[in-house]
Amino acid sequence: MYRFMPEFRLPRIIGHRGAATYAPENTLASLREAKRRGASWVEFDVKLSGDGVPILMHDESLKRTTGLDRLVADTPWAKIARLDAGGWKAPRFAGEGVPTFEAAIACLAEEGLGANVEIKPCPGREAATAVAVVEVLCRSWPAGLPTPLLSSFKDAALAAARDAAPDLPRAILIDELGDDWRRRAEALGAIGVNTNGRRLAAARARAVKAAGFLLSVYTINDPALATDLFALGVDCVITDSPDTIAAATAT
Ligand code: G3P
Ligand code: MG
């Protein structure tokens, strides 16, 4: 079993769902496009197919990105594997499939990409999704890649991940930080706070940093806003356009 490094480093920029501006989100093409556009890490969403296979998918329904009007949780992997997850974005991506989490990891290894793995469970599958994600990571995360960061909006998922693999770094995901962010982060043993950069008040950003947490913001495609957020002390910007944000915020 892979042992994760105790030290953890977050990049300044992470490609969101790969590089979602340029390629169909959460596909291998999108991961490769992020690398081509200069990203060293990518974020993507993992949930379980109906029969428990971890796959890259944001929505609970397959409709928006594959055209099939069915819930992911009700659809077996064998059916999802035959869907086109690229044609909706542009004709040149037609035939691009929904990747399994394992296929995505193999792609990361080929490309030399680190990852923020967002555990995105369908309702009621919080713990099962987290346990499946951790199992795949512990079994197959490439030794040459940096330690990945797990994140989730669902505390139950992060708690299950913590219990299954305490040494895998975790970040809480919160759209807008309320007064309870620190209690939640500490209860889950999180090292990071990932939040909506458009709703991040300066005082909250300062409080997160003063408390010693890594602070990441999503989904920032506006270079001016990214610049402002870095100036507030944000460590990492998660963006659909990693090339644009890198060019505008180079240090
Ligand atoms: O992980 C950051 C971001 O992806 C969270 O929101 O809805 O794009 O998964 P969402
Ligand atoms: Mg996400």
Side-chain angles (χ1 to χ4, degrees):
M1 180 181 285
Y2 186 82
R3 288 195 65 78
F4 295 96
M5 290 176 287
E7 70 276 11
F8 176 78
R9 290 186 58 123
L10 199 58
R12 274 171 58 79
I13 294 170
I14 294 181
H16 185 238
R17 307 183 195 174
T21 295
Y22 307 107
E25 65 183 58
N26 287 322
T27 63
L28 300 187
S30 194
L31 306 184
R32 293 190 189 106
E33 189 65 19
K35 175 72 179 199
R36 211 174 71 75
R37 303 248 174 199
S40 58
W41 280 50
V42 285
E43 182 267 5
F44 50 79
D45 308 292
V46 179
K47 52 169 40 75
L48 299 178
S49 67
D51 50 348
V53 177
I55 61 170
L56 271 55
M57 181 63 57
H58 180 275
D59 298 359
E60 285 174 32
S61 167
L62 293 157
K63 181 92 165 56
R64 180 175 60 88
T65 57
T66 73
L68 182 66
D69 194 4
R70 262 178 83 153
L71 294 176
V72 178
D74 292 342
T75 310
W77 165 242
K79 188 160 187 73
I80 296 172
R82 294 197 297 271
L83 300 175
D84 175 1
W88 66 275
K89 183 75 176 178
R92 72 189 170 97
F93 291 114
E96 189 71 30
V98 175
T100 62
F101 183 32
E102 293 210 50
I105 290 175
C107 181
L108 299 179
E110 281 171 23
E111 300 289 337
L113 282 165
N116 169 198
V117 180
E118 184 185 340
I119 305 168
K120 190 75 122 183
C122 292
R125 307 181 98 189
E126 290 80 6
T129 306
V131 167
V133 163
V134 166
E135 188 277 323
V136 171
L137 285 174
C138 289
R139 177 164 45 78
S140 63
W141 187 251
L145 293 183
T147 296
L149 178 66
L150 294 176
S151 60
S152 186
F153 286 107
K154 302 296 182 184
D155 288 2
L158 290 176
R162 174 200 60 204
D163 294 346
D167 61 344
L168 254 173
R170 292 170 298 283
I172 54 170
L173 254 172
I174 302 178
D175 184 42
E176 183 167 9
L177 299 182
D179 290 335
D180 65 341
W181 72 266
R182 186 166 182 173
R183 181 195 57 74
R184 288 173 61 185
E186 289 178 347
L188 294 161
I191 64 164
V193 175
N194 294 10
T195 190
N196 184 337
R198 283 173 301 281
R199 297 191 174 177
L200 178 60
R204 291 281 188 208
R206 282 194 292 272
V208 171
K209 291 311 301 171
F213 291 89
L214 293 167
L215 177 58
S216 302
V217 289
Y218 64 87
T219 303
I220 306 302
N221 300 329
D222 174 1
L225 181 54
T227 302
D228 290 348
L229 288 162
F230 280 129
L232 272 185
V234 161
D235 297 294
C236 173
V237 166
I238 302 172
T239 174
D240 297 316
S241 305
D243 51 353
T244 306
I245 297 301
T249 63
T251 50

